[in-house]
Amino acid sequence: MSATSGRNASQSDAFAQLLRGCLLPTLAAALLCVVGGFFSSPMAAWSAAFGAALVIVFFGLTLLVMKRTADLAPATTMVVVMIAYTLKIVVLGIVMFLLHDATWVSGYAVGVSITVCAIVWLFFEMRAYKHLRIFVYDPDGEASLDADPGQGPQDEP
């Protein structure tokens, strides 16, 4: 197995762990929102499910884009992620515009569901990322950029 395929497998495992760490708690929060919506009306329950689905699809797409661009240069990754973010905002704006006067959607239930599910997803994404223990630096790489590693930092006169 080559180093590249080993790294790709490791990245796939990391993204799978992130997705599992976010998706399961968010689905539980979505279920709670839907059940809470049923206490109001079936329309509120469907609206809560719609809001939760929006969050799961949008945040899931972000993880997918990050997975697909992980091997690219950082600048390229940033451009692709920003384009994906912009497209998601445009799609969200279109959805909001189309549902503005819809009588079959409870705006309150959608809003609560989106807020709850987004907070849960982000919290558990940070938690899952923290548990991945990804180094910010290369622990096996050079410790210093100095030409002579035997000397420490020097003060200039």
Side-chain angles (χ1 to χ4, degrees):
M1 180 162 82
S2 70
T4 305
S5 64
R7 186 171 12 123
N8 288 341
S10 173
Q11 287 175 350
S12 290
D13 292 344
F15 283 106
Q17 287 177 349
L18 280 173
L19 185 60
R20 268 192 312 272
C22 306
L23 186 60
L24 297 177
T26 306
L27 287 174
L31 184 62
L32 289 175
C33 289
V34 170
V35 168
F38 269 122
F39 285 112
S40 175
S41 70
M43 179 181 68
W46 284 112
S47 299
F50 176 72
L54 275 177
V55 169
I56 291 168
V57 167
F58 277 32
F59 282 101
L61 282 175
T62 299
L63 279 180
L64 180 66
V65 168
M66 292 298 293
K67 178 180 179 181
R68 297 288 181 212
T69 61
D71 290 332
L72 300 177
T76 305
T77 299
M78 184 60 132
V79 168
V80 171
V81 169
M82 290 305 295
I83 289 171
Y85 174 77
T86 303
L87 288 175
K88 289 189 307 186
I89 295 301
V90 168
V91 169
L92 184 60
I94 291 170
V95 168
M96 290 174 64
F97 178 76
L98 292 175
L99 296 178
H100 178 68
D101 291 328
T103 58
W104 56 272
V105 175
S106 168
Y108 182 77
V110 171
V112 168
S113 179
I114 286 174
T115 302
V116 168
C117 290
I119 289 171
V120 168
W121 182 287
L122 291 172
F123 175 80
F124 281 97
E125 185 176 37
M126 288 187 292
R127 183 176 179 267
Y129 186 78
K130 183 179 139 190
H131 286 106
L132 285 177
R133 305 250 188 246
I134 296 174
F135 290 110
V136 181
Y137 61 92
D138 185 7
D140 298 325
E142 289 292 321
S144 173
L145 296 176
D146 295 335
D148 185 10
Q151 295 181 349
Q154 298 177 359
D155 294 333
E156 296 202 21

